[in-house]
Amino acid sequence: MNRKGILRGLVILLILIVDIGLDQGSKIYVRKHLNYYEVLLPFKSEHFQLVRTENTGAFLSLGDSLGNPWRFILLTLLPAGVLLFGLLYVLLKNNLNKWNALGIILVLAGGFGNLYDRWVYHSVTDFMFIKFSWAQTGVFNVADMSIMAGVGILLVQSFMKDRELKNKKQTGNEEKVEA
């Protein structure tokens, strides 16, 4: 492997470690200082609250009523396989542009952070809640924010790639008409 490849791999691992560290650090703080469903008073506001919950399911508690072994297979084993495949993909696929690689890394880091919780604590610690008169979120954590940021980057990149291809087609068609 050349120097550029090694440096790329180290940057990927650094981003993963920092992201997972921020997620786990915030969850350790919340587990230590907040009881279940307790709202942290300095952050209690009309629109943003820190409130500790434990999610035994997946996104929005999906699958929380599943019994074992299905819960373990669908919420731990299968995601672990997908995350490991994704990590290998981003490490070995050298022609990914930087933004797509970053999007994938953020999704993976969030997934690994939540998977770690599920593996060690048998639930995922969620603690942030946003509410406005017209909309509200579910309770979420730093890993969830990382996943959403990664998906957002990937969607923007996909949109821009489609737009670029559309522009090339239009330019190509105009050249054919003129020729």
Side-chain angles (χ1 to χ4, degrees):
M1 184 179 266
N2 62 16
R3 248 187 214 175
K4 187 177 178 181
I6 292 171
L7 181 60
R8 182 180 174 281
L10 289 173
V11 168
I12 288 170
L13 293 176
L14 178 66
I15 294 170
L16 279 168
I17 290 167
V18 167
D19 195 329
I20 294 168
L22 290 171
D23 173 59
Q24 288 303 307
S26 65
K27 290 174 181 175
I28 289 168
Y29 179 85
V30 166
R31 283 187 209 106
K32 192 174 194 176
H33 295 326
L34 283 176
N35 295 318
Y36 296 110
Y37 302 105
E38 176 186 4
V39 176
L40 188 63
L41 292 178
F43 287 97
K44 186 175 182 180
S45 75
E46 186 178 331
H47 302 295
F48 178 76
Q49 293 182 359
L50 291 181
V51 56
R52 178 181 174 188
T53 63
E54 295 294 330
N55 183 357
T56 57
F59 178 71
L60 297 175
S61 297
L62 292 173
D64 65 343
S65 61
L66 286 173
N68 278 325
W70 292 110
R71 179 191 303 244
F72 177 76
I73 291 168
L74 293 174
L75 299 180
T76 304
L77 198 57
L78 184 63
V82 170
L83 290 169
L84 288 174
F85 174 80
L87 181 58
L88 286 173
Y89 176 81
V90 77
L91 285 170
L92 298 176
K93 184 103 170 140
N94 292 327
N95 62 344
L96 282 175
N97 77 42
K98 290 176 186 176
W99 288 106
N100 283 337
L102 178 62
I104 293 169
I105 294 164
L106 291 175
V107 170
L108 292 173
F112 279 122
N114 282 339
L115 184 64
Y116 177 83
D117 276 12
R118 192 171 311 288
W119 190 270
V120 173
Y121 303 104
H122 306 291
S123 65
V124 175
T125 302
D126 292 326
F127 55 90
M128 290 183 271
F129 177 73
I130 299 172
K131 180 179 180 181
F132 290 95
S133 59
W134 46 272
Q136 71 181 28
T137 65
V139 184
F140 59 97
N141 59 40
V142 173
D144 298 333
M145 291 174 21
S146 180
I147 292 168
M148 294 305 293
V151 168
I153 290 169
L154 292 170
L155 287 173
V156 167
Q157 284 297 298
S158 176
F159 174 76
M160 291 176 69
K161 181 78 170 176
D162 285 348
R163 195 168 165 194
E164 183 182 310
L165 289 173
K166 186 178 177 182
N167 287 341
K168 283 183 181 179
K169 274 186 177 180
Q170 287 176 347
T171 304
N173 288 340
E174 290 173 6
E175 290 173 2
K176 288 180 184 176
V177 172
E178 291 176 8

